[in-house]
Amino acid sequence: MRRKTFLKIVELQTEQAERHLNEVRSIHREMRAFKHDYHNHLQTLRGHIASGDIARALGYIDELDARLKSVDTLIKTGNVSADAILSSKIAQAKAAGIAVTVKANIPDVMALSDVELSIVLGNLLDNAIEACALARGERFIRLFIAVKGSMLYFSMLNSAAEKQIKRGSLFRTRKAGLHGFGLKRAQSIIEEHGGWIKYNSEDGAFTTEFLVPTGE
């Protein structure tokens, strides 16, 4: 039963990751179109200003600004897949009142597939957001991702409640039924690509680190 549940979670997460990727690809297409039209926008503004119609020029600028904000992403790491999932999860965290700090630089091409990368990052951020919701006092997520040699290094510290008890490779959490499956899923993907991942739970904080080959 546990294996069946785990496989169902894998299927659902894969579908979710693919939706995130399609969304961010659509955003990038819109951004490229906006940049392509940049010269035309400048010419239109120049025309309004030359004719003395300042109000119309300002209105045009406001419209362009609104369009740009609607397609811009929160996070730009250098990897479209990472941009998609991190932007989504960080927006979710901030909406829940969690203070988030991010420094991330990720190669555009990785040994992990786009879907695998999205699943790993999504699961780890989901766990951090859930832990913050149970934390007493300050709620925060501090995330650092960078390339070290031929490896991608990931480090995250987030607030949490009391120390979690580890049973085998899973942590016992307050979420009914799905005790640490997200962490196990991330671990299995990282290890499949020759990397390692470790978790550490203490009173008030939870840390996650992993190293995985970039594939270069």
Side-chain angles (χ1 to χ4, degrees):
M1 179 61 70
R2 174 169 287 189
R3 176 174 173 78
K4 189 174 181 180
T5 301
F6 181 69
L7 291 176
K8 183 62 177 178
I9 294 170
V10 169
E11 180 183 350
L12 293 173
Q13 288 180 338
T14 301
E15 292 176 358
Q16 183 185 50
E18 289 173 343
R19 284 198 301 272
H20 279 302
L21 291 176
N22 288 333
E23 289 170 4
V24 86
R25 283 168 181 153
S26 175
I27 289 171
H28 276 248
R29 283 195 296 270
E30 290 186 54
M31 290 293 289
R32 286 197 298 269
F34 186 91
K35 291 177 181 178
H36 181 266
D37 293 336
Y38 181 72
H39 179 72
N40 293 333
H41 293 316
L42 288 180
Q43 292 301 105
T44 300
L45 283 170
R46 187 186 300 273
H48 291 329
I49 293 171
S51 66
D53 197 343
I54 303 302
R56 193 169 183 180
L58 291 174
Y60 193 84
I61 291 172
D62 288 340
E63 182 181 352
L64 290 179
D65 186 53
R67 285 185 56 196
L68 186 59
K69 287 178 180 177
S70 70
V71 300
D72 199 12
T73 51
L74 292 174
I75 302 297
K76 294 181 178 66
T77 66
N79 182 290
V80 173
S81 305
D83 292 349
I85 193 66
L86 290 177
S87 293
S88 174
K89 296 301 179 183
I90 290 169
Q92 180 184 341
K94 289 183 175 179
I98 301 169
V100 183
T101 57
V102 180
K103 185 175 182 180
N105 182 20
I106 303 174
D108 187 42
V109 178
M110 291 278 297
L112 275 70
S113 71
D114 287 346
V115 170
E116 287 174 327
L117 180 61
S118 184
I119 290 172
V120 168
L121 297 179
N123 275 316
L124 297 181
L125 265 296
D126 280 342
N127 184 76
I129 292 169
E130 179 189 348
C132 286
L134 300 174
R136 296 180 293 272
E138 181 186 5
R139 297 191 292 174
F140 62 86
I141 296 174
R142 297 167 189 162
L143 178 61
F144 176 78
I145 312 174
V147 175
K148 294 190 174 184
S150 62
M151 307 289 282
L152 183 73
Y153 174 69
F154 174 103
S155 174
M156 181 167 64
L157 171 68
N158 59 268
S159 53
E162 69 277 1
K163 183 175 182 177
Q164 298 180 39
I165 300 172
K166 194 172 185 179
R167 292 182 175 175
S169 60
L170 300 180
F171 283 96
R172 189 180 71 191
T173 71
R174 296 185 182 183
K175 186 189 291 184
L178 306 181
H179 300 309
F181 275 116
L183 299 182
K184 185 174 178 63
R185 175 67 171 137
Q187 179 178 338
S188 66
I189 291 174
I190 293 298
E191 291 179 348
E192 282 171 11
H193 287 273
W196 61 261
I197 186 168
K198 65 179 181 180
Y199 308 111
N200 186 53
S201 178
E202 300 293 342
D203 286 339
F206 192 91
T207 58
T208 305
E209 284 185 293
F210 73 69
L211 273 173
V212 66
T214 60
E216 295 183 351

